[in-house]
Amino acid sequence: MVDNLANSEINLQRIAAVENCFGASGQPLAVSERVLVGEGILTKECRKKPKPRIFFLFNDILVYGTIVINKRKYNSQHIIPLEDITLEVLPDTNQVKNRWMIKTSKKSFVVSAASLTERKEWIGHIEECVRQLLEKTGRQPTVNHAAPWIPDRATDICMRCTQTKFSTLTRRHHCRKCGFVVCGVCSKHRFLMPQLSPKPLRVCSLCYKELLAEKEEEAEKEKRKSEIFHLERPVYDLSSEEDSDKSDDDSEKPEQFPMGNEFYSSDVSWSAFHR
């Protein structure tokens, strides 16, 4: 189906319609060999509460955004490369059913479908597109994923110190490493995680200690590698017997080399590096 639709007029029209719905705030989506596989509305579990979001599945990317007017206007466009996606089916809760997690290296989040059949279709199509894309590019699946943020409503107290109670004045924060809801005191540190952002991000006290320990361990490994390298480097004796300027027999007459113009005018190949 994807091969048949690639660069076809109907596919180009569908992609153009998606671009028009996002307007100037969205990125161009028309790329050679890109195919719009399907679209639909899923409920995304956001920080404050679950919210409906429009999702578009292409054969190489997953696009989603905020619904302003359904099928007419969307904004807050997000684009996720499919090779960065891993899916995980989640159990139902009392409030939400047909849930699954979309895990990527930069951001992971939970979505839910209107029915079990719809969830199966979404997961099946996404996984098949990912499989075909990885097979085509020869890349390996992503193994490191960002932790999903725990919704604010999940707790009224800091999940680290378990003492601070959140209120209008005491704000909730999220650790970018574990996704826990924490207070300001328990998340006063910042740490650079290049896979998530070029800038240092807020992390909780426990994750900060773990990240520091990992950094020190990596530094120690690099130090040991450097030490081993220098120990294993061969030591050359520049005054070995083979290269000695002294003859074993002091009475032996030293070899006479041609001097001056005689040397350069001879047929002796005196350098292997000047040819």
Side-chain angles (χ1 to χ4, degrees), residues 239-262:
S239 60
S240 64
E241 291 185 1
E242 292 181 351
D243 299 323
S244 177
D245 290 336
K246 293 185 178 181
S247 172
D248 291 338
D249 185 1
D250 292 339
S251 63
E252 183 181 344
K253 187 177 179 180
E255 183 180 356
Q256 298 294 322
F257 288 93
M259 302 298 291
N261 293 333
E262 180 184 354

Side-chain angles (χ1 to χ4, degrees), residues 93-149:
T93 66
N94 293 332
Q95 293 78 27
V96 186
K97 299 184 183 300
N98 310 313
R99 305 164 68 233
W100 78 94
M101 186 184 299
I102 298 175
K103 300 189 289 187
T104 77
S105 59
K106 295 186 178 297
K107 183 178 183 180
S108 299
F109 53 93
V110 176
V111 295
S112 58
S115 66
L116 181 61
T117 301
E118 187 177 320
R119 181 179 73 173
K120 288 181 178 179
E121 290 181 350
W122 269 104
I123 292 177
H125 282 94
I126 292 175
E127 289 183 338
E128 178 61 19
C129 287
V130 171
R131 186 192 65 78
Q132 292 185 11
L133 185 62
L134 292 177
E135 189 177 90
K136 181 179 180 180
T137 60
R139 298 177 182 176
Q140 295 298 316
T142 302
V143 294
N144 296 319
H145 303 106
W149 283 17

Side-chain angles (χ1 to χ4, degrees), residues 132-202:
Q132 292 185 11
L133 185 62
L134 292 177
E135 189 177 90
K136 181 179 180 180
T137 60
R139 298 177 182 176
Q140 295 298 316
T142 302
V143 294
N144 296 319
H145 303 106
W149 283 17
I150 294 176
D152 287 0
R153 68 183 186 282
T155 179
D156 290 327
I157 61 172
C158 173
M159 298 178 71
R160 281 302 176 211
C161 67
T162 67
Q163 301 294 324
T164 303
K165 188 175 178 62
F166 298 120
S167 64
T168 306
L169 299 178
T170 306
R171 292 184 54 202
R172 290 173 169 84
H173 300 281
H174 278 85
C175 172
R176 269 56 170 182
K177 179 68 168 58
C178 65
F180 276 25
V181 182
V182 291
C183 64
V185 175
C186 290
S187 60
K188 61 184 178 181
H189 297 291
R190 301 290 188 277
F191 200 91
L192 180 61
M193 294 179 283
Q195 72 276 15
L196 298 182
S197 172
K199 297 180 180 180
L201 300 175
R202 180 188 294 271

Side-chain angles (χ1 to χ4, degrees), residues 19-28 68 73-78:
E19 287 184 336
N20 290 335
C21 288
F22 279 103
S25 63
Q27 297 183 40
V68 180
K73 186 176 181 181
Y74 309 121
N75 59 23
S76 301
Q77 185 191 73
H78 298 268

